[in-house]
């Protein structure tokens, strides 16, 4: 996977990045690697550069479903840097590639003293929350084929057209769907010329067709992430004064 700058890190001022430099290190994890379990304590935040992380909601019986994914537009662990050290989700590598790992303690220091960092982190966190809410609705209301189109479009954005190493079983686990149902949906999509699938490698072949076949959720989430780097001036106030909820 190609190495690109993480947009959230790139939005930080130069002096902030210089102070964080000693707390950052590169990591490159394989597909399926669990970065943190639900309820686990986080010591680092992860900023993908070419990788994609999946956030999974895990039930008591061990079943899980994806409620959000994070590419080079954002980071995993920002909530922890702002408020706690605990992850509410299982996070695993959904698309292998490079990432930057940064100490949460160092991020906490920058968050506590910089209004701009507060605005940026709050804006990103709210945008990630909007993706989670959209995904919950999508999982409940849309067909497996529509959901697969949405999901594969999001992955194709990050993979930039390259083939992706996904089996039907992996997709079924990510989407909380029956494997047979996923296989039938994938076959239907391949028959329509939307994707090519062979020996565990999947590639989007018809972007326009995929976007038409997808539910509205893909476009809604993409628009939100395209705009989060320009948060309103009232996105966060000085620490201790609370959020401004007036329009």
């Amino acid at each position: 996977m190609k190495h690109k700058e993480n947009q959230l890190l790139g939005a930080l001022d130069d002096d902030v990045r210089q102070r964080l430099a000693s707390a950052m290190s590169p990591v490159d994890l394989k597909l399926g690697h669990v970065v943190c379990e639900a309820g686990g304590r986080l010591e680092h935040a992860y900023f993908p550069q070419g990788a994609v992380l999946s956030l999974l909601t895990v039930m008591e019986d061990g079943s899980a479903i994806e409620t959000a994914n994070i590419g080079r537009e954002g980071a995993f662990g920002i909530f922890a840097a702002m408020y706690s050290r605990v992850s509410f989700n299982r996070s695993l590598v959904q698309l292998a590639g490079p990432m930057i790992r940064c100490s949460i303690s160092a991020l906490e220091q920058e968050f506590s003293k910089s209004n701009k960092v507060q605005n940026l982190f709050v804006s990103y966190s709210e945008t990630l929350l909007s993706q989670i809410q959209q995904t919950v609705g999508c999982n409940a209301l849309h067909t497996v084929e529509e959901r697969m189109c949405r999901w594969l479009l999001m992955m194709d954005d990050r993979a930039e057209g390259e083939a992706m190493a996904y089996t039907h079983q992996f997709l079924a686990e990510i989407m909380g769907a029956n494997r047979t149902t996923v296989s039938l949906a994938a076959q239907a999509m391949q028959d329509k010329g939307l994707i090519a699938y062979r020996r565990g490698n999947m590639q989007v072949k018809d972007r326009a067709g995929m976007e038409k076949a997808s539910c509205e959720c893909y476009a809604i989430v993409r628009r939100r992430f395209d705009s989060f780097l320009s948060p309103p001036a009232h996105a966060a106030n000085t620490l201790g004064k609370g959020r401004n909820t007036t329009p």
Side-chain angles (χ1 to χ4, degrees), residues 44-62:
H44 298 89
Y46 294 81
F47 297 83
Q49 296 172 300
V52 178
L53 297 177
S54 176
L55 300 187
L56 301 172
T57 297
V58 183
M59 303 302 175
E60 287 186 352
D61 65 359

Side-chain angles (χ1 to χ4, degrees), residues 32-46:
H33 181 95
V34 176
V35 175
C36 187
E37 282 289 355
R41 182 175 171 82
L42 281 165
E43 299 296 337
H44 298 89
Y46 294 81

Side-chain angles (χ1 to χ4, degrees), residues 115-129:
N115 208 25
K116 182 174 180 179
V117 173
Q118 291 168 26
N119 286 344
L120 185 63
F121 282 13
V122 169
S123 178
Y124 172 70
S125 297
E126 288 187 333
T127 304
L128 184 63
L129 179 59

Side-chain angles (χ1 to χ4, degrees), residues 228-241:
F228 89 90
L229 288 175
S230 301
H234 61 265
N237 295 309
T238 54
L239 211 61
K241 291 186 178 180

Side-chain angles (χ1 to χ4, degrees), residues 168-180:
H168 291 177
Q169 182 61 37
F170 183 83
L171 291 176
E173 291 173 0
I174 286 290
M175 296 196 301
N178 179 275
R179 187 191 183 285
T180 301

Side-chain angles (χ1 to χ4, degrees), residues 1-14 17-18 24 46-51 71-75 98-100 158 160 228-229:
M1 186 55 58
K2 296 176 182 178
H3 181 293
K4 295 229 174 175
E5 182 179 43
N6 179 276
Q7 294 176 6
L8 196 57
L9 282 179
L12 297 173
D13 289 340
D14 289 342
R17 281 185 287 180
Q18 288 174 6
M24 294 193 295
Y46 294 81
F47 297 83
Q49 296 172 300
R72 59 178 173 270
E73 76 286 339
M99 288 186 288
I100 294 291
R158 279 69 173 264
E160 298 184 330
F228 89 90
L229 288 175

Side-chain angles (χ1 to χ4, degrees), residues 50-218:
V52 178
L53 297 177
S54 176
L55 300 187
L56 301 172
T57 297
V58 183
M59 303 302 175
E60 287 186 352
D61 65 359
S63 60
I65 187 170
E66 181 183 278
T67 49
N69 51 63
I70 301 168
R72 59 178 173 270
E73 76 286 339
F76 169 61
I78 293 299
F79 282 120
M82 292 191 295
Y83 301 116
S84 72
R85 292 295 190 100
V86 177
S87 173
F88 300 109
N89 308 94
R90 173 186 296 157
S91 175
L92 60 79
V93 178
Q94 190 184 86
L95 190 67
M99 288 186 288
I100 294 291
R101 188 176 74 171
C102 183
S103 162
I104 284 180
S105 296
L107 291 171
E108 282 176 331
Q109 292 178 27
E110 297 302 327
F111 180 79
S112 67
K113 64 188 179 184
S114 169
N115 208 25
K116 182 174 180 179
V117 173
Q118 291 168 26
N119 286 344
L120 185 63
F121 282 13
V122 169
S123 178
Y124 172 70
S125 297
E126 288 187 333
T127 304
L128 184 63
L129 179 59
S130 77
Q131 183 193 165
I132 293 170
Q133 292 171 327
Q134 195 74 38
T135 303
V136 168
C138 185
N139 288 341
L141 300 173
H142 296 147
T143 67
V144 169
E145 187 170 331
E146 288 173 327
R147 291 166 55 199
M148 281 185 64
C149 286
R150 168 188 61 83
W151 192 87
L152 287 171
L153 283 167
M154 295 176 74
M155 294 306 101
D156 189 60
D157 287 342
R158 279 69 173 264
E160 298 184 330
E162 295 181 11
M164 300 169 284
Y166 295 133
T167 64
H168 291 177
Q169 182 61 37
F170 183 83
L171 291 176
E173 291 173 0
I174 286 290
M175 296 196 301
N178 179 275
R179 187 191 183 285
T180 301
T181 304
V182 167
S183 294
L184 290 172
Q187 185 61 56
M189 292 164 65
Q190 182 159 260
D191 291 343
K192 295 172 186 175
L194 301 177
I195 62 172
Y197 180 78
R198 185 178 181 183
R199 296 180 180 176
N201 285 316
M202 194 169 289
Q203 189 168 23
V204 173
K205 303 299 289 184
D206 181 359
R207 282 280 312 191
M210 285 278 281
E211 291 183 22
K212 186 176 180 180
S214 175
C215 51
E216 70 269 25
C217 300
Y218 167 72

